[in-house]
Amino acid sequence: MAAEAHSTATLRLTVGDLRVVHPITVPSAPVPATEVVPALQGLVNAVVAAAEAGKAISCRKGCGACCRQLVPVSRTEGERLLALVETMGAERRERLHARFAAAEAVLDKAGLSDRAGRSDRELSLAYFALGIPCPFLEAESCSIHPDRPLVCREYLVTSSAELCAGPSQEGVTPVPVPKVSMAARGLQNDSEDWFPLALLTKWAKTRPRSDMRKTGPEWVQRFLRAIGAQKGERQRL
Ligand code: SF4
């Protein structure tokens, strides 16, 4: 079988005060948006590395306080995570499904499955107050660390770890990382499209289906345009 062709380019991105130069490789042929997620993860990693340079980060393996926050996930990343779960062994899948069901039950009971009528801040505080561990959190560490959502990569703090567990996050000092992850939300449908990660399996039941395919460079261009639209940033491929 012929090897799949890929396109490589060097991105030069200005986000906030940061300048990021990052090589990116994506499939040349038309593919679903999920196929470019690894390239977007690499790009977000590069932005985060630039933002955290020279700072003393206090986040450590085994400290999962922030993994009880509402994690907004784009439809494209949701599809990618569902595919990831499908590759797992039956026992691990079963454990995960049980955790997702438990999270869904708590959110339903608290009336937080539907975010209508709440500001993002209200929703996020009410969600954190419930103390729901992310279903992917195991022994206070991320069990899907290489595949974790883009937004999880962008959250780093320089304040002491105990503060992250406080109810209002008072005193927590996050590293000011530009939220490039938000650009993934409109990747497939030109409008903000996200859901809380803890509702992944619930979302899967009613998720919109699409056979939209674009070349890897076209997907990346859409992502970059969305960054530009959000922040007035400059980028080129
Ligand atoms: S996906 Fe991983 S890093 Fe993100 S909230 Fe869940 S456990 Fe934490």
Side-chain angles (χ1 to χ4, degrees):
M1 194 193 298
E4 196 183 323
H6 286 81
S7 305
T8 298
T10 300
L11 298 182
R12 297 174 200 284
L13 197 67
T14 303
V15 271
D17 297 335
L18 304 175
R19 284 185 54 78
V20 177
V21 178
H22 178 67
I24 197 163
T25 299
V26 288
S28 304
V31 290
T34 50
E35 294 296 308
V36 297
V37 168
L40 304 184
Q41 290 169 342
L43 176 56
V44 169
N45 289 348
V47 171
V48 172
E52 70 175 335
K55 299 189 170 61
I57 306 299
S58 36
C59 305
R60 297 282 178 272
K61 194 174 180 193
C63 172
C66 63
C67 299
R68 289 165 175 81
Q69 292 186 15
L70 191 162
V71 175
V73 172
S74 65
R75 164 185 168 181
T76 305
E77 289 183 89
E79 289 165 353
R80 180 96 189 171
L81 287 169
L82 286 173
L84 175 72
V85 171
E86 282 309 302
T87 66
M88 296 173 179
E91 262 182 45
R92 190 173 174 201
R93 267 203 327 266
E94 216 170 286
R95 276 202 309 276
L96 265 175
H97 280 290
R99 287 188 211 132
F100 275 110
E104 186 182 324
V106 175
L107 286 167
D108 278 347
K109 193 168 171 209
L112 291 182
S113 292
D114 180 359
R115 57 184 198 261
R118 288 189 175 86
S119 69
D120 286 356
R121 175 76 181 152
E122 282 168 351
L123 185 63
S124 131
L125 283 175
Y127 184 103
F128 189 62
L130 295 173
I132 304 168
C134 171
F136 290 113
L137 189 66
E138 288 178 5
E140 294 302 304
S141 290
C142 180
S143 64
I144 57 161
H145 195 260
D147 301 294
R148 70 198 184 287
L150 300 178
V151 70
C152 299
R153 294 161 199 262
E154 295 172 333
Y155 193 75
L156 296 165
V157 303
T158 52
S159 42
S160 77
E162 306 79 66
L163 294 174
C164 292
S168 61
Q169 308 281 289
E170 211 169 311
V172 174
T173 313
V175 175
V177 178
K179 296 296 176 278
V180 170
S181 63
M182 290 175 72
R185 297 183 188 178
L187 202 55
Q188 293 191 62
N189 44 353
D190 292 328
S191 62
E192 269 234 341
D193 191 2
W194 65 269
F195 60 92
L197 175 58
L199 294 177
L200 177 68
T201 52
K202 179 175 183 167
W203 171 81
K205 291 175 199 151
T206 56
R207 69 190 162 119
R209 305 278 177 164
S210 148
D211 54 5
M212 187 190 287
R213 285 172 175 257
K214 291 182 183 295
T215 65
E218 285 170 341
W219 284 123
V220 173
Q221 290 283 8
R222 275 177 75 92
F223 187 77
L224 295 178
R225 273 200 300 275
I227 296 174
Q230 283 168 359
K231 304 280 183 189
E233 310 295 3
R234 300 189 305 277
Q235 63 282 313
R236 62 192 162 92
L237 179 60

